[in-house]
Every structure is written in C-alpha cells, then in structure tokens.
Amino acid sequence: MSYKVNTILMLVAGGEFLVGVIGNAFIGLVNFMDWKKKKKFASIDVILTSLATSRICLLCTILFDYFVLVLYSDVSYYGKEMRIIDFFWTLTNHLSVWFATCLSIFYFFKIANFFHPLFLWMKWRIDKVILRTLLGCLIFSAFISLPITVNLNEDFRYCVKAKWKTNLTLKCRVNKTGYFFTNVYLNLIMLFPLSVSLLSFLLLILSLWRHKRKMQLNATGHRDPSTEAHVGAMKAVISFLLLFVVYCLAFLIATSSYFMPDSELAVIFGELIALIYPSSHSFILIEGNNKLRRASRRVFWKVKYILKGRLF
C-alpha cells in the first residue's frame, strides 16, 4: 500500500484506540472514585471495571500489533516479540469476552423474575461468587491462550513469508496445518460465551414478557422500574451480542489471514474492524448504567462550560 493509504489507516486505528481508551478508562475511573468514597465495591462495578481494564489491554495489544505490521513487517514475520503479542491478544480477547458474558449473566440473575428454586439460589449467591468467577475467567483465558505460543513459532512465520513460493517444504505444511487447527480451536471456544449471552438475552425476554402480562392482568402501568430494568439490561446484552458477532468475524479474518492472498491487507482491515467492538461498547455500557450516565453528563457539562468560557 502507498504511504498515504498507510497514514490514513493508521490515523483511523489511532482514533478508534483513543475513543476506546477514553470510554473504558472513564468506567474504571468513576468506579474507582466511587469505591474511594464509599469504601465498598458493588458487584456490578467489579465486573464493569474488570471488563474495562481487559478492553484497554486488548486495544493496546491490537494497536501495537497493527503498528508493527505496518511499520516493521519483518518483525511481524521473524521477531520473537510477536509470539508475546499473539499470546496477549488471544488472552485479552478471550478475557474481555468472558467478562462481558459474566456481565450478561449478572444482569439476568439480578433483573429476571423466575421462581425456580435453582434460579433463586443462584440469584442469592451471585454477589458472593463474582470475584471467584472473574478470577476463574482469567485463569481459563490464560490456559486456552497457551497453544497460540506453541504453534505460532518462528518457523511458521517464515512459512507465511514464503507461502506463495513453489518450493514449500513438508515442515511448512505441517506448521500451517497445526496453526489451522489451533485457529479453529480458539474460534470454537468463543462460541460458548456467545451462546451463554444469547441464552441470557432470550431468558430476559421471557421474563419481561411474563412481567408485562402480569402487569396487564393487574391493570398496572407499564412504565414500572422492573420493566425499565429489563429493557436496559436487554439493550446492554443485545448490543454486546451484535458487536461481538462483528468482532468475531474480524478476528476470524485476522487470524485466518495466513491462508489468504494479500494477508497483510486482510490483517489490517480485520484489526480496524476488531477495534470497533472494545471501543464502542464501553459507551453503550455508560449510557445503560445510572451512575456512569450521571457522571458522563457532569463531565460533558463541565467541558462545555470550559469551552464556552474560552470562546467568549
């Protein structure tokens, strides 16, 4: 690609990164200040802060990988540092997905209304197991990310560089086959948290339908707090699902680029699309959380007041 195209794409990537870091850092900062004031962390704040932290790390990893690919392409094929980047991208990717799934499950148990004994028991226990669940997600994500460092070695990188040459060796074909199965393995694992979030969304719809039918039978207004809580949680979950599907497609393009022509271009566009998910979802979470929404409004009006004072 030309220098001008590279510059434009790098500016787009930098803009997406900056927006994502601002949104996720805002979530973490507001929750930290609230904890410092109250000396207590609510379960939802723990999940949101963990999710925001993982997404900042994911954004940093994707952007760093993007810049290395564009500016130092030789390192992207031969550098040992790329094994570390591959590991951290896979780790932060799965970690942010699992944390978002934990958020979907938390919304479901806190807002849905079912009277099954197992549901009521888990609803009562959810606050007590949040920290252990998040720690379990961290350990599990690290465990499933280890195969990426084994298969994406220097020999495989060399085979990628020479993939269109006619004298490919058997060793190269074996390395590519191993990477292919690792790629399939990582993408299949991501289907599980997606399925869990989708199930939570469907159960929230069922709970809302039953709640609204009960309100109609009791001739009660529909704009009650429970209905609004259901709708707010459903918006957060469905936005995660939609953005997550787009992100999965981008992640699949980027990780499968070694089997495509013009692999560098495929990785670049895959990573640009992938940056949308961790960047934009944070603002949807801010808008859906009362505390974060009020804090964002205060910041907005302060910034507007300062800018207005400087202009006039």
Side-chain angles (χ1 to χ4, degrees), residues 86-87 90-91 93-94 98 137 139-152 176-193 244 248 251-252 255-256 259:
D86 291 329
F87 171 77
T90 308
L91 172 63
N93 169 47
H94 283 270
W98 281 104
C137 290
I139 296 173
F140 180 72
S141 298
F143 175 76
I144 63 177
S145 301
L146 290 176
I148 204 73
T149 62
V150 176
N151 288 279
L152 292 184
K176 284 188 176 183
T177 302
Y179 175 75
F180 173 77
F181 285 112
T182 302
N183 185 38
V184 172
Y185 153 77
L186 290 172
N187 284 285
L188 285 178
I189 287 178
M190 292 180 67
L191 291 177
F192 181 73
F244 181 49
C248 283
F251 182 76
L252 184 61
T255 55
S256 302
F259 309 100

Side-chain angles (χ1 to χ4, degrees), residues 73-139:
S73 59
D74 290 338
V75 176
S76 68
Y77 289 117
Y78 300 111
K80 294 181 179 180
E81 295 83 359
M82 291 308 298
R83 296 181 69 180
I84 300 175
I85 294 177
D86 291 329
F87 171 77
F88 276 103
W89 188 1
T90 308
L91 172 63
T92 54
N93 169 47
H94 283 270
L95 197 58
S96 69
V97 169
W98 281 104
F99 284 167
T101 303
C102 290
L103 181 64
S104 302
I105 296 172
F106 182 83
Y107 279 143
F108 166 66
F109 281 112
K110 283 296 183 180
I111 296 173
N113 294 313
F114 294 102
F115 298 100
H116 192 279
L118 179 60
F119 173 82
L120 295 175
W121 180 80
M122 295 183 70
K123 186 183 183 76
W124 174 70
R125 291 276 300 172
I126 188 70
D127 287 312
K128 300 179 181 180
V129 299
I130 285 297
L131 288 177
R132 281 176 286 179
T133 302
L134 296 177
L135 180 60
C137 290
L138 174 60
I139 296 173

Side-chain angles (χ1 to χ4, degrees), residues 195-213:
S195 302
V196 173
S197 296
L198 180 59
L199 179 62
S200 299
F201 175 71
L202 294 175
L203 289 174
L204 277 171
I205 293 178
L206 177 60
S207 176
L208 177 61
W209 176 75
R210 294 176 60 180
H211 175 74
K212 293 192 73 173
R213 189 175 66 170

Side-chain angles (χ1 to χ4, degrees), residues 55 96-97 100 240 243-244 247 273-281:
R55 283 178 172 170
S96 69
V97 169
F240 160 66
L243 289 170
F244 181 49
Y247 175 78
I273 297 172
L275 283 167
I276 297 174
Y277 160 64
S279 298
S280 59
H281 192 237

Side-chain angles (χ1 to χ4, degrees), residues 165-305:
K165 295 181 180 179
T166 57
N167 59 343
L168 286 175
T169 63
L170 177 62
K171 186 175 183 180
C172 284
R173 289 195 293 270
V174 170
N175 281 333
K176 284 188 176 183
T177 302
Y179 175 75
F180 173 77
F181 285 112
T182 302
N183 185 38
V184 172
Y185 153 77
L186 290 172
N187 284 285
L188 285 178
I189 287 178
M190 292 180 67
L191 291 177
F192 181 73
L194 176 63
S195 302
V196 173
S197 296
L198 180 59
L199 179 62
S200 299
F201 175 71
L202 294 175
L203 289 174
L204 277 171
I205 293 178
L206 177 60
S207 176
L208 177 61
W209 176 75
R210 294 176 60 180
H211 175 74
K212 293 192 73 173
R213 189 175 66 170
K214 182 180 178 181
M215 292 296 100
Q216 289 175 351
L217 292 175
N218 295 333
T220 306
H222 298 286
R223 300 299 296 178
D224 61 294
S226 180
T227 300
E228 293 181 357
H230 274 81
V231 173
M234 288 167 58
K235 287 180 180 178
V237 176
I238 193 61
S239 62
F240 160 66
L241 289 172
L242 294 175
L243 289 170
F244 181 49
V245 169
V246 175
Y247 175 78
C248 283
L249 294 175
F251 182 76
L252 184 61
I253 292 172
T255 55
S256 302
S257 60
Y258 301 110
F259 309 100
M260 301 177 182
D262 298 325
S263 62
E264 289 186 10
L265 189 61
V267 173
I268 288 172
F269 280 101
E271 292 185 354
L272 285 177
I273 297 172
L275 283 167
I276 297 174
Y277 160 64
S279 298
S280 59
H281 192 237
S282 58
F283 293 94
I284 297 174
L285 294 177
I286 291 172
E287 190 63 27
N289 184 281
N290 290 330
K291 179 177 65 178
L292 296 174
R293 185 171 62 251
R294 288 194 298 268
S296 66
R297 297 291 190 273
R298 289 196 298 269
V299 171
F300 173 78
W301 286 111
K302 286 182 180 179
V303 171
K304 185 177 180 179
Y305 176 78

